[in-house]
Amino acid sequence: MPTDRASAISHSFLAFSLCVAIILAGCDSPAVAERHFQAFGTTVHLIVADVDNRQAQATLDEIERDFAGISLDWYAFGTGELARINARLAHEQPAAVR
């Protein structure tokens, strides 16, 4: 009888595995778009899920461009917006923050 029991367990496991495989094959995983880039002295990692890939890539491109611009404008040792504000303040002039 041990071989019959082992065979039954083996068949049960095989049937269970097959059911799990069929169920998982029927599940659509959401589309995921990822982007890594440097900004503000660190690595930025963005993940967009469950969106059309073209739309996701366009959005990630826009975010990366925005971060690059902000990083340049507000870099402490750069020549962007922060440098302009600091120069005005150094001469005791008012400085509007945009």
Side-chain angles (χ1 to χ4, degrees), residues 4-62:
D4 288 337
R5 183 167 186 215
S7 178
I9 290 172
S10 176
H11 284 111
S12 294
F13 180 74
L14 181 60
F16 175 75
S17 298
L18 185 59
C19 287
V20 169
I22 290 170
I23 290 169
L24 291 178
C27 295
D28 288 334
S29 59
V32 175
E34 294 187 55
R35 180 76 54 92
H36 296 86
F37 58 89
Q38 296 293 314
F40 309 110
T42 191
T43 300
V44 177
H45 181 193
L46 301 174
I47 300 172
V48 179
D50 206 21
V51 177
D52 173 69
N53 189 53
R54 280 187 299 171
Q55 181 183 0
Q57 293 303 325
T59 301
L60 291 171
D61 288 344
E62 184 176 349

